[in-house]
């Protein structure tokens, strides 16, 4: 499968390179505390970013017409909610079902649907995840605590700079009467990468 990257030699885009240079200078001059910076990044990667995706998933669970649109043209459906890629990349939504579980990886680097999930987790960028997700996805999933029945097929999607995937996890049992906001709270970042399942309501 072709794997095109906008910038094969250097995966920092110009903005990321600028940010990194700025961070280095500010740290050297003692103007910022790297630990505080890490915390800010953590907030964006685990809280702010994935909440966009969680809203998309909750809406797909609640509104069948939106789910159909998402399946047909995820870029447009997600864009209608105000979430668009910085570099204009296309989105594809892959739906988990009773028969299929989807898992997303970028085998070459760390292409990730930033508009809906924010910053990628550290493990997503690790060489181990990038190779093992393809070679032994079931073993990787079980390490994330996701055990699938043998009958369930696992599909692995390799992201590129042009096309990024959002996993739509299955709607959990016991979530029938919930509002979209309550549903969104059940959608974890990992469930939208395929490395987890949506939470079951308490
Ligand atoms: Fe990549």
């Amino acid at each position: 499968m072709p794997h095109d990257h906008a910038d094969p030699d250097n995966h920092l885009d110009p903005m990321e390179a600028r940010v990194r240079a700025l961070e280095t200078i500010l740290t050297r001059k003692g103007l910022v505390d790297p630990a505080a910076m890490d915390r800010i990044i953590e907030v964006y990667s685990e809280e702010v970013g994935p909440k966009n995706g969680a809203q998309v998933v909750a809406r797909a669970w609640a509104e069948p017409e939106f789910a159909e649109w998402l399946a047909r043209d995820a870029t447009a459906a997600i864009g209608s909610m105000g979430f668009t890629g910085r570099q204009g990349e296309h989105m594809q939504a892959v739906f988990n079902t009773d028969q299929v579980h989807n898992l997303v990886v970028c085998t070459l680097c760390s292409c990730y649907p930033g508009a809906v999930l924010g910053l990628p987790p550290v493990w997503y960028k690790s060489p181990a995840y990038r190779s093992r997700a393809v070679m032994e996805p079931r073993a990787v999933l079980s390490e994330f605590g996701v055990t699938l029945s043998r009958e369930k097929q696992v599909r692995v999607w390799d992201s590129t700079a042009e096309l990024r995937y959002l996993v739509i996890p299955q709607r959990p049992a016991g979530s029938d009467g919930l509002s979209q906001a309550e549903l969104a709270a059940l959608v974890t970042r990992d469930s939208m990468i395929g490395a987890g399942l949506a939470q079951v309501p308490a």
Side-chain angles (χ1 to χ4, degrees), residues 83-118:
F83 312 137
T84 50
R86 279 179 310 163
Q87 297 153 346
E89 64 271 10
H90 291 280
M91 290 292 309
Q92 184 175 334
V94 288
F95 292 72
N96 287 348
T97 66
D98 287 339
Q99 288 78 37
V100 177
H101 182 90
N102 296 284
L103 179 67
V104 178
V105 65
C106 173
T107 53
L108 278 195
C109 51
S110 57
C111 295
Y112 189 72
V116 279
L117 297 189

Side-chain angles (χ1 to χ4, degrees), residues 3-138:
H3 191 104
D4 286 333
H5 297 260
D7 188 7
D9 296 326
N10 180 354
H11 285 104
L12 290 180
D13 69 26
M15 182 58 77
E16 285 166 339
R18 223 172 291 165
V19 168
R20 191 166 292 187
L22 193 59
E23 181 184 344
T24 304
I25 292 165
L26 292 173
T27 304
R28 276 201 202 130
K29 289 187 177 291
L31 294 172
V32 299
D33 170 7
M37 199 90 114
D38 285 347
R39 175 63 192 137
I40 291 167
I41 290 167
E42 195 183 303
V43 167
Y44 275 89
S45 59
E46 288 171 26
E47 293 164 32
V48 179
K51 287 199 171 148
N52 292 351
Q55 286 180 54
V56 173
V57 171
R59 192 167 165 200
W61 285 345
E63 299 175 15
E65 282 172 18
F66 182 75
E68 274 170 42
W69 188 15
L70 198 57
R72 206 171 54 239
D73 186 349
T75 311
I78 293 168
S80 77
M81 295 178 72
F83 312 137
T84 50
R86 279 179 310 163
Q87 297 153 346
E89 64 271 10
H90 291 280
M91 290 292 309
Q92 184 175 334
V94 288
F95 292 72
N96 287 348
T97 66
D98 287 339
Q99 288 78 37
V100 177
H101 182 90
N102 296 284
L103 179 67
V104 178
V105 65
C106 173
T107 53
L108 278 195
C109 51
S110 57
C111 295
Y112 189 72
V116 279
L117 297 189
L119 301 170
V122 171
W123 55 259
Y124 185 84
K125 300 185 269 189
S126 71
Y129 178 74
R130 285 159 38 208
S131 60
R132 293 186 58 225
V134 176
M135 292 188 298
E136 43 175 0
R138 279 175 193 277

